Amino acid sequence: MLGSPAMPSRTLLALALAVAITTPAMAASDPQTDLTIYRSDNSALYAANQSGVVDAGHAVVHEDRTLQLTSGTHDVVLDNLPDFLDPEAVHLNLAGSHAQVLSQRLLLPHGQSGTLNGQIGKSVIVIGANGQALVKGMLTQVNPDGSLVIGGDVFGPTLVRNYAAVKLSSGEVGGGARLQLRIDADNSGNTKATLTYPTAGIGWRAAYTGILEPGHSCRLRLSAQASIANRSGRDWNNANVKLVAGSPHFAKSGGPRPVMMMAKAAPASAAPMPRQNTLDDYRTYTLPGAVNLPSGSVTLTPLYKTRTISCQRTWLFENGNTWQPTQPVTTDNDAGTRHGPVASTLDFTAFDSFPAGNLRVLTTDNDGNAEFLGAGTVADTPKGQPVQLTLGNAFDLTGTRERTSFDVNKAARQMTEGFTITLTNAGNSARTVTVREHPWRWRQWKL
């Protein structure tokens, strides 16, 4: 039930307005939609506790539509558009040359009547204050004062001024933007068209899961999936999806504000492997079959077949950073003793092109359960390049760094600094620890 905005008492008025009110023709939509989705790292798209739409991510939509045209100049309305649209980037391509678009206007969902505007062209039942149905028919117009025009029969449309609620006969809330077209057609009939536009609220990133196999050698069973988030406010059903990996530059422009909707959960979909290709400087993954992407969902689909690869475990005790001063630092200001953790790291070589995403590493415990070891971010990595991940800090390994000497010889233009590094292993297994120092007092130094 959709409540109307607050308004003074009105009376139900039925008028024959066939001449005064022009009802725009509605465009029937074909189910065929091609979605090109670009990678996005915005965490709000993938958050389980996120509700409503999210102004993040980028996708280009190619929709096949069937327009019901009449001869001459008239208006056609395309509905069921997502909440985020760039009005300057919407393009309609009509098949053939018997019709042309004279102008187009994007009608954005706004104000208290924004949701009702999204229902134009749908069958509704207008409910009065007593709960009884006042009129039933196709909603053809929502006026600025909140009154409604319901498509009529031989007696013409009905103008409804006083009502309590509007019930959608289809049971769908819907909403979103609409595209109003002024078209000049040579004749009446159905015409095929392709509607192309960018939208937000959709994005994807890679989701990797690695399970370390038991044994002395490092072997990682790695699976790679595409995590596709839809927070656009619209369901995408039977969509052909192409994923773009890379980092294009987007010129952000203002778009319509969204209508908030409830999020829905979607199960992960199983599918054959995507077809990989290139798009200029970027990598693409075309999913092998049409998929459903409900609004408020995160859908997982495989990128590569799961495989077991060789890896390398390292443990690292690191001090300092890569900062370099503009001149030598000769003050005695590093006299403290530092007790620090030893980081556990994992390295392997990308067996194929790895889009950026998150990698979670697990290991099998004594009870047979796979337990979490750590997670990190994987950057866009071409095939054959190294992937490095810090899992966390080793519990049984610690390091101590103590400064033992410091001397400055200005005549010789030389500084000498000494340290003692102590490593401790309280565990049951031997570990090889790498000590990494970043001398920061000047650019030239010798160990």
Side-chain angles (χ1 to χ4, degrees):
M1 303 285 287
L2 301 178
S4 67
M7 59 184 68
S9 177
R10 301 189 180 102
T11 58
L12 176 63
L13 182 62
L15 299 175
L17 301 177
V19 177
I21 297 178
T22 302
T23 302
M26 301 304 296
S29 298
D30 293 332
Q32 183 61 54
T33 301
D34 293 340
L35 275 176
T36 302
I37 304 175
Y38 289 77
R39 185 178 60 81
S40 175
D41 296 323
N42 192 296
S43 59
L45 286 172
Y46 312 93
N49 60 350
Q50 178 70 44
S51 62
V53 295
V54 176
D55 187 6
H58 185 87
V60 178
V61 184
H62 309 274
E63 289 183 348
D64 288 342
R65 298 267 186 154
T66 299
L67 307 187
Q68 300 171 355
L69 303 182
T70 57
S71 179
T73 301
H74 60 291
D75 290 339
V76 174
V77 175
L78 300 179
D79 61 358
N80 195 29
L81 298 177
D83 292 335
F84 296 103
L85 282 177
D86 183 350
E88 298 176 352
V90 179
H91 176 71
L92 182 73
N93 183 33
L94 293 173
S97 59
H98 66 281
Q100 61 176 331
V101 178
L102 303 178
S103 66
Q104 65 183 37
R105 178 183 293 113
L106 192 62
L107 305 176
L108 310 179
H110 62 279
Q112 292 181 320
S113 298
T115 303
L116 283 175
N117 283 326
Q119 312 311 314
I120 292 179
K122 297 181 180 180
S123 180
V124 300
I125 301 175
V126 183
I127 307 298
N130 59 0
Q132 299 298 315
L134 298 178
V135 63
K136 177 180 179 181
M138 185 178 71
L139 179 63
T140 61
Q141 188 170 321
V142 180
N143 297 318
D145 64 354
S147 60
L148 310 176
V149 177
I150 307 300
D153 46 24
V154 294
F155 299 104
T158 302
L159 178 64
V160 185
R161 292 187 178 277
N162 187 23
Y163 59 95
V166 178
K167 181 178 181 181
L168 304 182
S169 300
S170 61
E172 299 176 357
V173 175
R178 296 174 299 130
L179 184 65
Q180 185 179 57
L181 305 168
R182 176 62 58 90
I183 294 181
D184 183 17
D186 295 339
N187 47 59
S188 301
N190 291 342
T191 297
K192 296 291 184 180
T194 301
L195 180 65
T196 301
Y197 56 89
T199 187
I202 310 179
W204 83 282
R205 67 185 180 189
Y208 303 97
T209 300
I211 300 179
L212 285 169
E213 294 187 344
H216 296 290
S217 61
C218 184
R219 302 282 291 172
L220 184 70
R221 183 170 176 80
L222 186 65
S223 64
Q225 298 185 95
S227 177
I228 308 172
N230 177 18
R231 310 281 185 176
S232 67
R234 171 185 163 175
D235 297 338
W236 304 95
N237 297 318
N238 297 315
N240 298 320
V241 175
K242 180 193 301 179
L243 308 175
V244 179
S247 300
H249 175 72
F250 295 108
K252 186 68 174 178
S253 61
R257 300 315 306 161
V259 178
M260 303 303 290
M261 298 181 68
M262 295 300 294
K264 297 179 288 184
S269 57
M273 298 304 106
R275 184 177 72 256
Q276 188 177 164
N277 211 328
T278 57
L279 175 66
D280 197 81
D281 291 330
Y282 312 119
R283 182 75 61 174
T284 64
Y285 300 83
T286 301
L287 302 190
V291 296
N292 293 335
L293 301 176
S295 180
S297 69
V298 178
T299 301
L300 296 177
T301 184
L303 277 178
Y304 300 110
K305 291 182 179 179
T306 300
R307 64 182 69 188
T308 301
I309 60 175
S310 298
C311 55
Q312 181 180 2
R313 294 292 304 277
T314 58
W315 290 265
L316 177 65
F317 181 62
E318 188 169 15
N319 297 287
N321 52 53
T322 58
W323 175 79
Q324 293 290 340
T326 57
Q327 60 185 13
V329 179
T330 61
T331 56
D332 186 4
N333 58 356
D334 193 7
T337 298
R338 173 181 177 268
H339 303 278
V342 176
S344 173
T345 66
L346 175 71
D347 298 359
F348 61 90
T349 300
F351 59 78
D352 209 319
S353 299
F354 272 32
N358 295 327
L359 170 59
R360 296 165 178 83
V361 178
L362 313 173
T363 190
T364 303
D365 202 0
N366 295 330
D367 57 7
N369 294 326
E371 305 294 358
F372 178 74
L373 284 185
T377 300
V378 176
D380 285 327
T381 307
K383 181 179 180 180
Q385 295 300 307
V387 177
Q388 300 177 335
L389 188 73
T390 299
L391 300 179
N393 296 327
F395 183 86
D396 290 324
L397 300 178
T398 55
T400 301
R401 177 182 184 269
E402 180 183 4
R403 214 274 298 275
T404 57
S405 65
F406 179 73
D407 178 71
V408 178
N409 188 335
K410 293 185 178 180
R413 302 174 65 86
Q414 177 177 303
M415 280 187 296
T416 302
E417 197 167 21
F419 298 92
T420 295
I421 305 294
T422 304
L423 302 174
T424 303
N425 181 6
N428 299 323
S429 301
R431 293 285 187 266
T432 300
V433 179
T434 298
V435 177
R436 183 176 296 160
E437 286 281 335
H438 297 272
W440 55 270
R441 293 188 180 276
W442 191 232
R443 295 188 292 270
Q444 297 180 2
W445 57 274
K446 182 170 61 174
L447 179 64

